[in-house]
Amino acid sequence: MTHSRQEKIEALGRVIDVLERLRVECPWDRVQTNLSLRPNTIEEVYELADALMADDDTNIRKELGDVLLHVLFYSKIGEEKGAFDIVDVCDALNSKLIFRHPHVFGQVQADDAETVVKNWEQLKLKEKGGNKTVLAGVPATLPALVKAFRIQEKASHVGFDWDKPEEVWDKVKEELSEFESEAKNMNADKMEEEMGDVFFALVNAARLYGITPENALERTNRKFTRRFNYLEQKVNESGRNLKDLTLREMDAIWEEAKLSE
């Protein structure tokens, strides 16, 4: 289903009208602040991420609405403080999009997505109020796996990268070897440091092969959960307890789970 531009504008206006009434008349909405809403916003973004991972259009639509509500809510709070409103948010976004797309709105040539991304990072360093350093735009509170990927992406856009994807495997092997050496010494602090280096190198490998590590790991998380639930269900149906099974017995049911998929 598609809607006209006017219908889209009117729909957004209705949501703004409802939110403004809630902000005045609802005891809960009336007392919310940026900090009180923050945990809910994080939860909503994760719920959207779940829907995206499942490619569930119905829930994607629902969760997008929840995220949009939070964008409008923060804008309303900004308006009440006299700092900004939704128009300022939209205007700033519009200006940023135009500035960062000179290949569309200007004379810059960019024939592929990779060139666009590289130009994007350079433009972010140049724009007024933009990032002052290459890695400045990486949020400190990002989950470590996502943060590692973004750090590596940004570094690669200024040329700090391998020439060929296969070259990364020497780094992975090097980091694994260093971890193994520390593991022999059972130095907990050094082991943690070297394991971090192993993870970082593997994230780099994923990036170089066009894989988003967060998505890859989440697929494996879900696969493991699905198979372990199968194992647990089968054991419960037999009247036994998981703790009573040998590893070989559990492996046999695990193989059943794999074959059942």
Side-chain angles (χ1 to χ4, degrees), residues 144-162:
L145 185 65
V146 179
K147 186 191 292 186
F149 187 75
R150 291 296 292 131
I151 287 171
Q152 294 165 4
E153 268 193 328
K154 287 178 174 292
S156 72
H157 295 153
V158 293
F160 192 73
D161 206 355
W162 281 274

Side-chain angles (χ1 to χ4, degrees), residues 114 118 152 155-156 159-175 197 200-209:
E114 183 178 356
K118 287 182 178 179
Q152 294 165 4
S156 72
F160 192 73
D161 206 355
W162 281 274
D163 293 325
K164 299 177 182 178
E166 56 269 25
E167 293 173 352
V168 74
W169 295 115
D170 287 337
K171 186 62 175 176
V172 172
K173 293 173 185 175
E174 175 191 328
E175 299 299 353
D197 291 344
F200 197 83
L202 285 171
V203 169
N204 244 333
R207 177 184 60 82
L208 288 164
Y209 284 89

Side-chain angles (χ1 to χ4, degrees), residues 125-221:
L125 292 172
K126 295 178 181 178
E127 67 186 357
K128 183 179 180 181
N131 298 330
K132 303 306 180 185
T133 64
V134 173
L135 301 182
V138 181
T141 54
L142 271 181
L145 185 65
V146 179
K147 186 191 292 186
F149 187 75
R150 291 296 292 131
I151 287 171
Q152 294 165 4
E153 268 193 328
K154 287 178 174 292
S156 72
H157 295 153
V158 293
F160 192 73
D161 206 355
W162 281 274
D163 293 325
K164 299 177 182 178
E166 56 269 25
E167 293 173 352
V168 74
W169 295 115
D170 287 337
K171 186 62 175 176
V172 172
K173 293 173 185 175
E174 175 191 328
E175 299 299 353
L176 276 170
S177 176
E178 290 178 2
F179 173 77
E180 289 173 356
S181 295
E182 295 300 338
K184 290 176 183 177
N185 298 326
M186 292 303 293
N187 183 321
D189 184 63
K190 284 291 187 180
M191 286 167 61
E192 181 179 271
E193 180 183 344
E194 295 301 340
M195 182 58 77
D197 291 344
V198 172
F199 287 152
F200 197 83
L202 285 171
V203 169
N204 244 333
R207 177 184 60 82
L208 288 164
Y209 284 89
I211 297 168
T212 302
E214 174 72 18
N215 293 345
L217 183 58
E218 179 57 17
R219 285 183 65 177
T220 297
N221 287 341

Side-chain angles (χ1 to χ4, degrees), residues 77-144:
I77 293 172
E79 179 182 339
E80 292 166 355
K81 292 164 60 178
F84 61 88
D85 63 12
I86 190 62
V87 173
D88 298 311
V89 172
C90 291
D91 285 347
L93 174 60
N94 193 52
S95 296
K96 180 166 65 176
L97 289 174
I98 292 172
F99 179 79
R100 293 188 187 177
H101 290 80
H103 53 287
V104 176
F105 301 101
Q107 305 302 316
V108 173
Q109 187 73 21
D111 298 323
D112 55 68
E114 183 178 356
T115 303
V116 171
V117 172
K118 287 182 178 179
N119 289 344
W120 180 280
E121 294 297 338
Q122 292 298 316
L123 288 164
K124 286 170 73 173
L125 292 172
K126 295 178 181 178
E127 67 186 357
K128 183 179 180 181
N131 298 330
K132 303 306 180 185
T133 64
V134 173
L135 301 182
V138 181
T141 54
L142 271 181

